[in-house]
Amino acid sequence: MAKRRINARDMIVEVEDDTADTWLRVENLQNITVNPGENEETADVTDNDSEGSYEQEVMQRGASLALEGLLMKDDSTGALPPGRARVEEMCGEDKLGYDSLGRVRFRHPMDTQWRIWPCTFSLGEQGGATNDKSSWSATITKSGKTTTAAVATGGGGGV
């Protein structure tokens, strides 16, 4: 069995549309970072029987997905690409409480399973300096247990 290094740029990230089981690819990303330790909480369980060694137990697991790219809009309508538009919609001021929850799924092309998170969405900084292209970023924070789903044969797995 051959082993190969994985290209970060090949990761596929999709956000669920407001129609259940319709997925939109988040387009034109330049940086995708999965942080599997985000929001992890531990409890100190050190006691006198620990013989001077620190001990802890994990009480809460969490994770986040940071997305970054250049801001892109349709030059005639000003519309964002569909996947990014859905992410921004989920970051809206009216998305509070239960309405703030959505789903995201992601994988590398050779993966046979999607990782699916119930999650919340937050927009990051946008802009840049005089000679920069405007940046776009969002953070997706896992809110609950990860589930998986088989990648449909044919590979794409998009809409």
Side-chain angles (χ1 to χ4, degrees), residues 42-61:
T42 61
D44 181 347
V45 295
T46 308
D47 60 24
N48 291 342
D49 293 332
S50 299
E51 300 177 354
S53 294
Y54 173 78
E55 294 180 282
Q56 74 174 19
E57 294 177 1
V58 175
M59 302 303 291
Q60 170 182 294
R61 300 273 185 200

Side-chain angles (χ1 to χ4, degrees), residues 82-93:
R84 287 193 186 192
R86 178 63 177 159
V87 169
E88 289 206 14
E89 177 186 346
M90 290 305 300
C91 297
E93 290 181 15

Side-chain angles (χ1 to χ4, degrees), residues 53-129:
S53 294
Y54 173 78
E55 294 180 282
Q56 74 174 19
E57 294 177 1
V58 175
M59 302 303 291
Q60 170 182 294
R61 300 273 185 200
S64 67
L65 183 62
L67 308 177
E68 297 176 6
L70 298 176
L71 183 60
M72 296 188 71
K73 294 185 177 187
D74 182 289
D75 62 359
S76 61
T77 66
L80 292 166
R84 287 193 186 192
R86 178 63 177 159
V87 169
E88 289 206 14
E89 177 186 346
M90 290 305 300
C91 297
E93 290 181 15
D94 62 330
K95 298 295 185 182
L96 303 171
Y98 179 80
D99 290 337
S100 69
L101 296 171
R103 291 197 312 164
V104 68
R105 69 182 185 179
F106 57 97
R107 67 180 180 89
H108 284 97
M110 68 177 63
D111 291 340
T112 59
Q113 298 281 315
W114 289 98
R115 286 184 279 174
I116 303 170
W117 291 353
C119 56
T120 60
F121 300 78
S122 300
L123 274 180
E125 295 179 350
Q126 296 183 10

Side-chain angles (χ1 to χ4, degrees), residues 5 9 59-60 63 75 118 137 143-144 149:
R5 290 169 177 82
R9 68 174 174 246
M59 302 303 291
Q60 170 182 294
D75 62 359
S137 65
S143 179

